[in-house]
Amino acid sequence: MSNYLEGLNVPQRIAVEHRDGPIMIIAGAGSGKTKVLTTRIAHLMKNGVDAFNILALTFTNKAAAEMKERVEKALGNSEARNLYIGTFHSIFARILRVEAPKLGYPANFTIYDTDDAKGVIRDIVKEMNLDDKHYKPAYIINRISAAKNGLIGPEEYRKDTHIQTEDAKSNRHRMSDIYDAYASRCFKNGAMDFDDLLFKMHVLLHTFPDVLAKYQHRFHYILIDEYQDTNAAQYAIIKMLGAVRENICVVGDDAQSIYSFRGATVQNILQFQDDYDDVKVVKLEQNYRSTQTIINVANNVIGNNQKQIPKELWTDNKEGDKIVLARTMTDNDEGRFVADAIKEQQMRNHYANKDFAILYRTNAQSRAFEESLRRMNIPYKLFGGVSFYQRKEVKDYLAYLRLIVNTRDEENLKRIINVPARGIGNTSIMKLVAAANEYGKTVWELIEQGSGNAKVDNFVQMIKGFQSMLQTKNAYDLAFAVGKYSGLVQELYNDKTVEGLARYENVQELLNSIKEFTETPDEEGEILDKSLGSYLQQISLQTDVENNKDEDMDVVKLMTIHSAKGLEFPCVFSVGLEETLFPSSMSLYDRAGLEEERRLFYVAITRARERLWITYANSRYRFGTLVQNDESRFVQEIPLAFIDKTFSGLSNKPGSNNGPAKGVSGMLNQNFDKVPSLKKLADKLASTTATQKVHTPSADFTADDVADMNIGMKVEHQKFGFGTILTLEGGPNNRIASIDFGAGHGVKKIMLNYAKLKIVK
DNA sequence: GAGCGATTAATTTTT
DNA sequence: TTAATCGCTC
């Protein structure tokens, strides 16, 4: 294809043709960012740059796969295969496989996912005799993760006064010790967690100048996608790798920065121009994706953020329909509404299933949509959520495979030494671990030559048997043997419950995927490694089995907004627009958090090409109980002129204000009359929403301890204001209080676990 | 040590 | 609500 430059607009073309030196592309949503990146790569290759010298880093496997495919298409030959295109994690993992011995890790190191990492933490906390209610694994792993992403190792952590004060404040004085123990345990196990792939990569380049030089000379051109989502570690690595040639091309959009919880900082965009002389800056502001209405809505919403790089997204596309705002009674009604709307659109406008996406804030929201879609026989597919590889039976199976490849890994050994049950209980395992620690050995080293326990010895012999097949058998044959001789498959087969059947099927699917891996034909000129080690390496960074294939299956797609980034759909449902859900209650405390939620909403809106629905429910089930939520503040940031209010409970007449809905007249109410409790709830809502005023919390508002609250106490609620506790019910952990908030809000039942209340003295 | 009910904790987002 | 952990009994 020689005319690949045609069809680019002016700034796009400048970005593609800029050859040497740093360039930053600020690319608005739908402005052809991927097109620019892929065309740029193709252009470099057309002009004599060897594919082996180009490194392109993305954030998701999906984005990497798409980029590779599109470069291939643009080039029309198979050269693209030689490009280094992948996620930060996968490319660095690949490099670390080669260089790991320099850091004292085995080349076939295990990659721990978050569950594995939590398991290690849990063990450590237990061994240190700490309270795991206070030292929660999830909290600890987040903290360690943040440290690593900020390039802070255990030693620096201990020395950092700011961190130390924080830990002291939260009364977690042993954090440094835990981090220490965690790092050395991972090392001893020959394992790296996700963050290590960045952290150790940095250590590697930092410690070994020759290694750094090697990769600096390998990668002549570096391209970074979604640059606004890079963290300090990624930033430092890119800077080092690109330091010699400075041929760094970063593409990003500060308005779509949604990964600060992973340490990402928009600062990296601002910093870029300071780091290099003569940075070429290109702005892509023309949107080719969405209707004018959708762009208008997006611009209005994001305009409420204070922090942003000035730019104006515009489009030549047609105006399009108004967006539909729908308010429903419950989350189930919301599900029904969406399924109905999909059916209706399919009849009226002939959309296919795959033209629809349902985007939510949290994975837990998918249930209601799944049910309603299933009921209406609309095929759908869930992306993300609990990944296939996280299922217990799959993890057990994989633990065998990982142990066979890397016997240093104590976590996997402990996981499966008694799965299926073979009479090696917890007490025995603890003894083994203690003994191993005493001799400074790994558990495997300890039992390898015989342990004096027949059951353990049998297990060792079995694993050794599998190991002997490593050289001669491919991944599938070996995995099959493992399933057969370990008794894993038999055990699942014997379980005839519904869940057991599903587990059996999952294991079969795992085997299928291994088979597919082994049977993928070698491409021309290269012989792919079909060993078990190679397979494990490939899947450990994969989030879902069928991420890559089935892309074009004609199904409605359900996913979080986070995983929808970079994608587009003709019709988008952005659902669950409720306070405490979206924006999430976790983000309400500071402006930065709230602005990130707003950017997330911006991302959701800008996924839509033609039609957009925004929905929310008055009440929804959370933890099995019905809770009420207010309309999200983000909904109120959309000008009325762009909204079709038929289902919103608002008047469709122009000129009415855009406050919270005033009544139930236009509300969706299927099943409504049949369910008295819902009717009551609606009446209550109708009577309270009209007068509801949002309370502004006192300046010194802090949540007090639930345990200290008693009947008769005066308390302050962030939204409902001041009230008196009338009754208390439920156990210490799900205590529910009835609180009289006076005229404005009346008596409310508040789950104390949830709500933040301040005791008024 | 295994198996079964009972209890309880979790929900932000991802590699 | 659900998945994981706890604790009791055999």
Side-chain angles (χ1 to χ4, degrees):
Chain A
M1 258 177 81
S2 53
N3 57 346
Y4 60 94
L5 290 177
E6 285 167 26
L8 294 176
N9 67 26
V10 174
Q12 285 176 339
R13 190 158 178 153
I14 292 172
V16 166
E17 292 189 317
H18 170 90
R19 178 151 173 161
D20 289 345
I23 173 169
M24 176 161 74
I25 305 166
I26 304 290
S31 63
K33 175 193 71 161
T34 309
K35 184 177 179 186
V36 166
L37 272 176
T38 53
T39 316
R40 185 178 151 78
I41 292 172
H43 185 68
L44 286 170
M45 290 171 67
K46 290 270 181 194
N47 287 278
V49 180
D50 193 333
F52 284 100
N53 296 131
I54 299 176
L55 170 68
L57 297 171
T58 66
F59 271 82
T60 62
N61 297 306
K62 217 184 269 173
E66 193 193 347
M67 199 181 289
K68 205 157 206 172
E69 196 189 314
R70 281 172 72 167
V71 176
E72 242 162 65
K73 219 175 254 173
L75 286 169
N77 62 40
S78 57
E79 262 300 299
R81 197 187 327 134
N82 301 323
L83 292 163
Y84 283 80
I85 295 186
T87 62
F88 280 89
H89 291 83
S90 69
I91 295 281
F92 294 170
R94 198 163 139 195
I95 294 176
L96 284 167
R97 292 273 168 213
V98 179
E99 314 290 349
K102 288 203 171 61
L103 297 171
Y105 282 84
N108 53 8
F109 61 87
T110 307
I111 295 175
Y112 279 165
D113 65 21
T114 312
D115 289 338
D116 300 323
K118 275 186 200 161
V120 177
I121 294 290
R122 212 167 278 131
D123 286 352
I124 289 170
V125 168
K126 206 176 276 170
E127 284 162 30
M128 291 171 89
N129 278 321
L130 299 170
D131 177 12
D132 64 352
K133 298 261 159 55
H134 186 53
Y135 286 94
K136 285 189 187 139
Y139 174 90
I140 293 169
I141 215 67
N142 273 334
R143 198 137 172 89
I144 292 176
S145 170
K148 283 186 188 166
N149 285 319
L151 296 175
I152 296 165
E155 282 170 44
E156 293 88 359
Y157 191 96
R158 200 180 285 281
K159 284 185 213 143
D160 189 309
T161 50
H162 178 67
I163 290 175
Q164 289 305 319
T165 350
E166 273 178 356
D167 283 339
K169 237 188 222 164
S170 77
N171 205 18
R172 277 180 265 251
H173 302 275
R174 305 294 303 278
M175 266 304 303
S176 298
D177 297 332
I178 297 174
Y179 187 6
D180 251 343
Y182 175 72
S184 41
R185 182 73 55 93
C186 288
F187 182 75
K188 185 179 146 214
N189 288 351
M192 296 198 199
D193 64 19
F194 286 143
D195 303 308
D196 279 331
L197 297 176
L198 309 181
F199 184 77
K200 300 290 182 193
M201 178 75 186
H202 182 259
V203 171
L204 176 76
L205 298 181
H206 196 72
T207 322
F208 302 97
D210 53 322
V211 177
L212 173 61
K214 174 169 141 194
Y215 290 100
Q216 280 174 333
H217 292 294
R218 173 164 310 170
F219 303 129
H220 296 189
Y221 290 86
I222 302 175
L223 300 92
I224 319 285
D225 194 13
E226 311 279 13
Y227 188 65
Q228 76 281 356
D229 287 329
T230 50
N231 59 38
Q234 289 160 328
Y235 171 85
I237 295 167
I238 297 162
K239 203 170 168 195
M240 280 204 263
L241 284 177
V244 174
R245 289 184 171 76
E246 296 196 346
N247 291 330
I248 304 180
C249 169
V250 301
V251 184
D253 177 9
D254 59 302
Q256 294 183 67
S257 155
I258 54 174
Y259 279 100
S260 70
F261 68 91
R262 222 164 69 180
T265 161
V266 188
Q267 206 47 39
N268 287 353
I269 290 195
L270 310 172
Q271 183 86 34
F272 193 77
Q273 291 187 72
D274 295 337
D275 281 348
Y276 307 92
D277 299 328
D278 251 349
V279 175
K280 180 99 191 157
V281 178
V282 177
K283 280 189 189 178
L284 306 180
E285 297 176 293
Q286 180 174 3
N287 172 294
Y288 293 95
R289 179 185 296 156
S290 313
T291 65
Q292 282 184 19
T293 303
I294 290 167
I295 294 300
N296 280 331
V297 169
N299 280 338
N300 268 289
V301 167
I302 202 68
N304 288 285
N305 272 6
Q306 292 179 355
K307 244 179 78 180
Q308 48 186 324
I309 295 176
K311 64 178 149 342
E312 187 65 38
L313 199 62
W314 62 278
T315 184
D316 257 349
N317 292 346
K318 61 179 196 233
E319 186 183 348
D321 284 353
K322 287 184 177 181
I323 66 166
V324 177
L325 177 66
R327 175 192 190 200
T328 64
M329 281 307 301
T330 67
D331 46 355
N332 291 325
D333 292 335
E334 189 185 32
R336 249 170 263 137
F337 172 80
V338 169
D340 284 343
I342 289 174
K343 263 270 144 50
E344 193 210 337
Q345 284 298 320
Q346 292 184 328
M347 311 268 236
R348 196 192 291 247
N349 295 315
H350 309 291
Y351 284 109
N353 293 318
K354 65 175 176 189
D355 293 333
F356 297 92
I358 303 172
L359 308 182
Y360 34 77
R361 176 69 244 266
T362 67
N363 281 305
Q365 284 167 259
S366 68
R367 203 210 79 251
F369 301 101
E370 290 182 73
E371 276 174 16
S372 58
L373 291 170
R374 211 175 306 136
R375 205 167 4 226
M376 300 199 47
N377 288 320
I378 301 171
Y380 67 89
K381 179 164 159 44
L382 212 65
F383 288 80
V386 176
S387 132
F388 179 75
Y389 294 111
Q390 284 174 327
R391 292 171 189 280
K392 187 182 172 301
E393 62 277 15
V394 175
K395 282 215 91 165
D396 286 344
Y397 211 122
L398 288 175
Y400 269 94
L401 306 183
R402 289 160 115 190
L403 179 66
I404 293 163
V405 169
N406 172 18
T407 46
R408 265 168 75 168
D409 188 349
E410 198 175 296
E411 293 309 305
N412 283 316
L413 187 147
K414 281 192 290 188
R415 183 178 183 107
I416 46 105
I417 192 166
N418 199 31
V419 178
R422 48 175 74 89
I424 309 173
N426 254 327
T427 330
S428 314
I429 297 173
M430 301 271 269
K431 272 185 204 152
L432 290 177
V433 171
N437 285 341
E438 196 172 323
Y439 295 113
K441 288 180 171 177
T442 66
V443 174
W444 180 259
E445 283 168 342
L446 182 79
I447 60 179
E448 197 178 14
Q449 310 296 342
S451 65
N453 175 332
K455 291 165 182 168
V456 173
D457 291 347
N458 278 339
F459 174 77
V460 170
Q461 287 315 313
M462 177 178 68
I463 297 295
K464 279 188 173 173
F466 294 143
Q467 278 181 320
S468 69
M469 301 179 202
L470 266 176
Q471 304 304 322
T472 52
K473 297 222 186 277
N474 69 27
Y476 176 74
D477 293 338
L478 181 44
F480 186 84
V482 168
K484 189 170 171 189
Y485 294 112
S486 67
L488 266 185
V489 170
Q490 186 65 46
E491 190 192 37
L492 290 173
Y493 182 77
N494 290 340
D495 183 350
K496 296 298 182 192
T497 61
V498 186
E499 301 84 26
L501 210 62
R503 281 196 286 270
Y504 180 74
E505 279 169 10
N506 283 335
V507 164
Q508 291 306 324
E509 194 178 337
L510 176 70
L511 282 170
N512 284 340
S513 92
I514 302 177
K515 188 164 197 164
E516 197 184 318
F517 167 83
T518 359
E519 287 176 358
T520 307
D522 297 348
E523 291 191 51
E524 175 202 348
E526 67 182 330
I527 297 153
L528 297 175
D529 178 2
K530 297 295 166 61
S531 71
L532 183 61
S534 165
Y535 170 75
L536 290 175
Q537 178 180 329
Q538 191 210 278
I539 60 150
S540 47
L541 292 169
Q542 216 175 344
T543 1
D544 225 319
V545 226
E546 20 199 5
N547 240 354
N548 309 321
K549 47 179 185 179
D550 304 335
E551 190 73 347
D552 277 324
M553 272 173 63
D554 185 28
V555 294
V556 173
K557 287 166 185 158
L558 278 69
M559 64 185 91
T560 63
I561 302 168
H562 280 90
S563 36
K565 189 155 83 151
L567 306 177
E568 58 175 44
F569 312 91
C571 301
V572 167
F573 294 87
S574 179
V575 301
L577 264 287
E578 294 146 39
E579 288 290 302
T580 73
L581 182 60
F582 193 14
S584 153
S585 55
M586 312 295 286
S587 67
L588 292 175
Y589 301 106
D590 59 285
R591 169 157 264 113
L594 189 63
E595 295 209 341
E596 176 145 323
E597 294 285 307
R598 191 177 279 112
R599 290 194 293 270
L600 197 53
F601 187 39
Y602 177 80
V603 169
I605 296 168
T606 52
R607 296 314 91 196
R609 285 215 290 260
E610 297 162 19
R611 289 169 204 279
L612 175 65
W613 287 258
I614 289 169
T615 69
Y616 64 99
N618 284 329
S619 51
R620 69 173 59 241
Y621 281 94
R622 254 176 159 180
F623 299 116
T625 42
L626 203 62
V627 296
Q628 295 172 34
N629 285 324
D630 293 334
E631 177 185 74
S632 169
R633 67 191 72 193
F634 298 152
V635 170
Q636 293 164 38
E637 294 171 2
I638 304 170
L640 276 176
F642 304 127
I643 303 180
D644 172 349
K645 296 169 282 278
T646 313
F647 303 103
S648 69
L650 286 164
S651 157
N652 242 340
K653 268 186 304 193
S656 63
N657 79 350
N658 199 9
K662 288 290 192 295
V664 290
S665 53
M667 197 182 293
L668 270 202
N669 55 5
Q670 301 110 312
N671 287 353
F672 188 76
D673 292 323
K674 291 178 224 147
V675 188
S677 61
L678 284 186
K679 173 111 177 73
K680 251 188 249 162
L681 186 64
D683 289 343
K684 196 171 139 212
L685 272 177
S687 67
T688 55
T689 43
T691 51
Q692 205 165 82
K693 270 194 306 226
V694 175
H695 167 74
T696 315
S698 322
D700 63 340
F701 187 92
T702 46
D704 284 312
D705 199 332
V706 172
D708 297 337
M709 293 179 189
N710 283 315
I711 294 170
M713 259 181 188
K714 281 197 87 115
V715 291
E716 181 184 3
H717 183 276
Q718 278 182 298
K719 255 184 287 174
F720 304 139
F722 298 97
T724 312
I725 300 180
L726 299 179
T727 63
L728 282 173
E729 48 193 301
N733 289 315
N734 65 335
R735 187 156 297 185
I736 297 170
S738 294
I739 302 176
D740 185 356
F741 287 104
H745 299 273
V747 178
K748 294 218 175 263
K749 290 216 169 191
I750 304 276
M751 293 175 75
L752 294 184
N753 267 1
Y754 242 112
K756 306 262 186 287
L757 289 174
K758 178 181 160 64
I759 299 172
V760 181
K761 283 160 191 144

